[in-house]
Every structure is written in C-alpha cells, then in structure tokens.
Amino acid sequence: MVRWRKAGEGIIDFAPVQSGAGEAYGFKADQPMGALHLVETGGEIHRGAAAVFRMMELCSSSAGALLWRLYRNVPAFRVFADLGYRLVSSIRTLLPARACRIPKA
C-alpha cells in the first residue's frame, strides 16, 4: 500500500493559538491573530503573505521558493502580496459559501 505524504509533513507543525502553543512566542490564546503566523525553529516569525510563501518554500515548492525570493527582494511585490493576502483573508468566510452554492435549476 502506498502512503501519500502531505506537503510539509515532518517539516511544519500546525497548532491553533487557542491551544496555548503560541504563548512562548508572545501570542495570547484569547486574542485573535488576524493572520497566519509562522514561527521558525530559530525563532524568526513571519506573518500573512510572508508566512504563506515561506511555508511553501519550506515544503520544497519551486513556486514557493520563487515567491519567497520575490517577497524578500522586490519591495513592490511585497506591497501587492500583502494587499492580496489582506483582501483574501477579509473575504475568506464568504469563499466556501460561494464555492458550495448550488445554482437553482
């Protein structure tokens, strides 16, 4: 039997802030984060679009490596990536509802 490995398995551990896992890094369990946060083993913290691109790179995604490089080195790309992240995160609760809406026949 073939066992498929999830991207990031063994590389990234996910933990909800509400579990108290982030308290060591200054994240309070009772306060909303407002964005995805990535804490690297060296203690460096990335937030929002930076966290997404860095996680993609850590999971050996060639697209992620390119996006992370652009994010770090091209200020204009960083601005648009952060704006895009904020836009998507502001409507994220609407996305599943719209994607699952079945048109009436």
Side-chain angles (χ1 to χ4, degrees):
M1 175 185 236
V2 176
R3 181 179 180 270
W4 295 98
R5 183 176 177 190
K6 294 179 189 175
E9 186 177 12
I11 298 170
I12 297 173
D13 293 325
F14 292 92
V17 174
Q18 295 83 359
S19 71
E23 289 184 4
Y25 304 99
F27 306 133
K28 298 187 188 286
D30 61 345
Q31 293 180 342
M33 298 293 292
L36 175 71
H37 286 67
L38 171 68
V39 179
E40 295 204 45
T41 55
E44 188 175 357
I45 299 173
H46 305 287
R47 180 181 195 279
V52 172
F53 298 150
R54 180 65 176 137
M55 279 194 299
M56 290 172 66
E57 183 192 42
L58 289 171
C59 293
S60 301
S61 163
S62 55
L66 174 63
L67 291 168
W68 178 239
R69 195 172 313 120
L70 287 169
Y71 189 87
R72 287 184 303 148
N73 298 310
V74 181
F77 179 81
R78 184 179 313 122
V79 168
F80 285 109
D82 288 337
L83 285 172
Y85 182 91
R86 277 189 236 125
L87 173 67
V88 171
S89 67
S90 71
I91 62 170
R92 71 177 170 250
T93 57
L94 301 175
L95 295 176
R98 292 183 189 265
C100 296
R101 191 171 293 158
I102 299 172
K104 294 181 180 178

